[in-house]
């Protein structure tokens, strides 16, 4: 494992349901008008092809500007912490948090629960955030290092939600800088199939209460990788709908309220969708679902409010995933073997300023003209992966090779 020196750490890290709609949203519901034409993406700098490692400079002690690896975790020698559960203090993370003003006005009282916040990795650069309503749940049941089913001798991270009221995510311990690339491998997901029936749940009578009265079995999924505008930790599913900036995730659901591109047409389906989307900050947010989606599918950004997956994942496969940010734009990428596209790479860059990607402004220096929020506000960013919902999602998924690069 490579280690960055203290100077890189200070310069890099100190700068600065699915999370999809509930079953109440129907396929025909078009919340908002179409998006404007995408402006030219802003890359940094243009001579550096994204994904290329920087070359050494020609002069003594010089380096060509480029992406520099500052942190990584491959789980080969990681000793996981063994933390104890603490009584849930019901953190006040805004109006949509578990006992925020939105739910207080509706008479919702957060249930008794327990939480864990446990740093890990090289110089504790990563943190587990876990939630359960069953204090007898051992932490090893929700986070463990296990053999790689595809490569003998390799070790990977297993995140699991034994019950739909369990939730565990991984986040950085510090906010991200304004230029970064976060990448990882994700695969062997077992969070339902999007078909009628249990959809990956044990009993079939699970509900999204107390925050919603919906059947929890109607949805099941996980986050491949996402960028949030607030500290990531488990909450009811509505909370994260208002905190996402850009997302790669899957929500297996029935009946289908999204479409999957099968290579020739958009197919109504909730079976193993791979969603790549940004959140549209130009339009009014829905109370439960947050800002409307700007989905990448069929090699284009789809009209605002259309929920369209780029493809379907295969359960017994690994996928390479990354989200890259330079001021003014995000690039999302997923590579692997898919149900419809076969072996393929899906890559999409969005001009965050032109589209007013929700709360994209991460530093005071960035400009957000015409966006529906105060010009002087900004929102430092965090990545997150796992299951963040304390009222949806039951299953497990594997992760490996988490890497943080910064531009220097």
């Amino acid at each position: 494992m490579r280690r960055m020196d203290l100077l890189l750490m200070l310069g890099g890290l100190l700068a600065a349901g699915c999370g999809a709609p509930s079953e109440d949203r129907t396929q025909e519901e078009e919340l908002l008008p179409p998006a404007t034409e995408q402006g030219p993406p802003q890359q940094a700098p243009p001579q550096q092809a994204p994904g290329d490692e920087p070359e050494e400079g020609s002069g003594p002690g010089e380096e060509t500007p480029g992406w520099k690896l500052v942190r990584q975790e491959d789980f080969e020698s990681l000793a996981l912490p063994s933390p104890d559960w603490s009584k849930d203090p019901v953190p006040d993370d805004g109006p949509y948090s578990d006992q925020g003003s939105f739910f207080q006005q509706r008479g919702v009282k957060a249930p008794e629960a327990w939480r864990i916040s446990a740093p890990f990795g090289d110089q504790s650069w990563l943190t587990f955030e876990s939630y359960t309503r069953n204090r007898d749940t051992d932490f090893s049941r929700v986070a463990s290092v296990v053999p790689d089913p595809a490569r003998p001798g390799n070790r990977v991270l297993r995140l699991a939600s034994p019950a739909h009221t369990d939730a565990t995510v991984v986040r950085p311990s510090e906010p991200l800088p304004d230029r970064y690339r976060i990448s990882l491998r994700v695969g062997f997901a077992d969070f339902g199939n999007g078909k009628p029936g249990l959809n990956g749940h044990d009993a079939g009578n699970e509900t999204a209460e107390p925050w919603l009265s919906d059947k929890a079995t109607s949805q099941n999924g996980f986050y491949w990788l996402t960028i949030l505008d607030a500290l990531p930790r488990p909450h009811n599913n509505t909370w994260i709908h208002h905190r996402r900036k850009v997302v790669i995730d899957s929500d297996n659901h029935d009946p289908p309220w999204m479409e999957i591109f099968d290579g020739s047409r958009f197919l109504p389906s909730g079976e193993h969708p791979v969603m790549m989307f940004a959140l549209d900050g130009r339009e009014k947010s829905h109370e439960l679902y947050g800002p409307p989606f700007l989905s990448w599918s069929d090699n284009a950004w789809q009209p605002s409010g259309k929920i369209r997956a780029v493809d379907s994942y295969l359960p017994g496969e690994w996928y390479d995933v990354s989200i890259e940010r330079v001021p003014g734009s995000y690039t999302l990428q997923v590579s692997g073997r898919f149900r419809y596209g076969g072996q393929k790479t899906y890559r999409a860059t969005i001009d965050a300023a032109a589209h007013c990607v929700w709360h994209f402004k991460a530093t005071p220096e960035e400009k957000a003209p015409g966006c529906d929020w105060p010009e002087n506000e900004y929102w430092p960013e965090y990545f997150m992966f796992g299951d963040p919902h304390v009222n949806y999602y039951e299953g497990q998924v594997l992760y490996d090779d988490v890497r943080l690069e910064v531009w220097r």
Side-chain angles (χ1 to χ4, degrees), residues 16-90:
C18 124
S22 75
E23 65 179 352
D24 292 336
R25 171 179 274 181
T26 65
Q27 176 188 341
E28 292 78 17
E29 181 180 355
E30 297 185 16
L31 296 178
L32 300 162
T36 57
E37 183 178 351
Q38 180 181 345
Q42 302 174 27
Q43 299 285 350
Q47 70 271 19
Q48 174 75 28
D52 291 346
E53 293 298 326
E55 299 178 355
E56 293 184 1
S58 56
E62 294 181 1
E63 286 189 348
T64 302
W67 293 110
K68 313 292 183 181
L69 180 65
V70 295
R71 291 292 186 205
Q72 71 172 354
E73 179 56 67
D74 63 8
F75 304 102
E76 289 303 307
S77 58
L78 177 68
L80 285 183
S82 301
D84 293 327
W85 296 101
S86 298
K87 187 72 176 290
D88 180 16
V90 194

Side-chain angles (χ1 to χ4, degrees), residues 23 111 133 163-166 201-219 236-237 389-394:
E23 65 179 352
R133 297 186 210 173
H164 79 289
T165 52
D166 296 323
H201 294 81
D202 287 337
N205 60 354
E206 293 88 348
T207 72
E209 294 178 340
W211 299 278
L212 299 170
S213 60
D214 300 348
K215 291 173 55 180
T217 55
S218 65
Q219 300 186 60
N236 70 85
N237 67 308
H389 298 331
V390 303
N391 58 334
Y392 280 100
Y393 294 178
E394 181 177 320

Side-chain angles (χ1 to χ4, degrees), residues 229-292:
D229 69 358
L231 183 76
R233 51 186 166 191
H235 283 294
N236 70 85
N237 67 308
T238 299
W239 180 85
I240 201 171
H241 294 168
H242 293 270
R243 311 313 314 221
R244 304 176 295 191
K245 296 191 180 188
V246 293
V247 181
I248 303 172
D249 77 346
S250 293
D251 184 278
N252 298 299
H253 60 276
D254 179 75
W257 37 255
M258 71 164 58
E259 298 172 305
I260 301 175
F261 189 65
D262 69 359
S264 60
R265 63 192 178 99
F266 290 106
L267 177 71
S269 174
E271 298 181 21
H272 296 164
V274 181
M275 287 293 301
M276 301 172 64
F277 63 98
L279 283 305
D280 188 351
R282 296 167 300 181
E283 305 292 346
K284 183 179 180 181
S285 295
H286 190 284
E287 285 185 333
L288 294 180
Y289 313 137

Side-chain angles (χ1 to χ4, degrees), residues 30-350:
E30 297 185 16
L31 296 178
L32 300 162
T36 57
E37 183 178 351
Q38 180 181 345
Q42 302 174 27
Q43 299 285 350
Q47 70 271 19
Q48 174 75 28
D52 291 346
E53 293 298 326
E55 299 178 355
E56 293 184 1
S58 56
E62 294 181 1
E63 286 189 348
T64 302
W67 293 110
K68 313 292 183 181
L69 180 65
V70 295
R71 291 292 186 205
Q72 71 172 354
E73 179 56 67
D74 63 8
F75 304 102
E76 289 303 307
S77 58
L78 177 68
L80 285 183
S82 301
D84 293 327
W85 296 101
S86 298
K87 187 72 176 290
D88 180 16
V90 194
D92 182 8
D93 288 341
Y96 298 99
S97 56
D98 297 344
Q99 206 157 306
S101 59
F102 176 80
F103 291 108
Q104 287 185 30
Q105 293 166 9
R106 287 154 179 79
V108 172
K109 180 176 175 56
E112 184 178 50
W114 287 265
R115 289 182 179 267
I116 282 174
S117 182
F120 71 99
D122 182 31
Q123 298 188 34
S124 298
W125 79 282
L126 296 170
T127 296
F128 287 114
E129 296 284 354
S130 291
Y131 171 105
T132 187
R133 297 186 210 173
N134 179 4
R135 193 176 185 179
D136 293 333
T137 301
D138 192 86
F139 184 68
S140 63
R141 293 191 64 196
V142 300
S144 58
V145 175
V146 299
D148 183 345
R151 195 172 77 194
N154 188 43
R155 286 158 50 93
V156 300
L157 176 67
R158 171 184 173 268
L159 295 184
S161 297
H164 79 289
T165 52
D166 296 323
T168 299
V169 301
V170 172
R171 65 168 176 88
S173 299
E174 300 289 341
L176 294 165
D178 63 346
R179 294 183 183 218
Y180 61 81
R181 181 165 60 201
I182 179 70
S183 58
L184 51 76
R185 293 197 308 143
V186 57
F188 292 83
D190 183 13
F191 273 96
N193 53 21
K195 297 179 179 180
L198 292 178
N199 193 22
H201 294 81
D202 287 337
N205 60 354
E206 293 88 348
T207 72
E209 294 178 340
W211 299 278
L212 299 170
S213 60
D214 300 348
K215 291 173 55 180
T217 55
S218 65
Q219 300 186 60
N220 204 352
F222 62 101
Y223 278 73
W224 298 44
L225 186 61
T226 187
I227 303 299
L228 302 188
D229 69 358
L231 183 76
R233 51 186 166 191
H235 283 294
N236 70 85
N237 67 308
T238 299
W239 180 85
I240 201 171
H241 294 168
H242 293 270
R243 311 313 314 221
R244 304 176 295 191
K245 296 191 180 188
V246 293
V247 181
I248 303 172
D249 77 346
S250 293
D251 184 278
N252 298 299
H253 60 276
D254 179 75
W257 37 255
M258 71 164 58
E259 298 172 305
I260 301 175
F261 189 65
D262 69 359
S264 60
R265 63 192 178 99
F266 290 106
L267 177 71
S269 174
E271 298 181 21
H272 296 164
V274 181
M275 287 293 301
M276 301 172 64
F277 63 98
L279 283 305
D280 188 351
R282 296 167 300 181
E283 305 292 346
K284 183 179 180 181
S285 295
H286 190 284
E287 285 185 333
L288 294 180
Y289 313 137
F293 288 20
L294 291 168
S295 304
W296 175 263
S297 189
D298 189 18
N299 203 35
W301 291 104
Q302 299 297 307
S304 180
K306 291 291 186 182
I307 306 176
R308 289 174 167 171
V310 70
D311 209 320
S312 290
Y313 69 88
L314 299 172
E317 295 283 338
W318 280 109
Y319 295 89
D320 295 312
V321 183
S322 67
I323 296 179
E324 177 183 312
R325 184 193 198 274
V326 297
S329 74
Y330 296 94
T331 299
L332 288 69
Q333 181 170 304
V334 181
S335 299
R337 190 167 71 92
F338 299 88
R339 177 179 179 181
Y340 298 111
Q343 190 70 34
K344 196 162 186 175
T345 294
Y346 294 106
R347 181 178 177 88
T349 297
I350 189 166

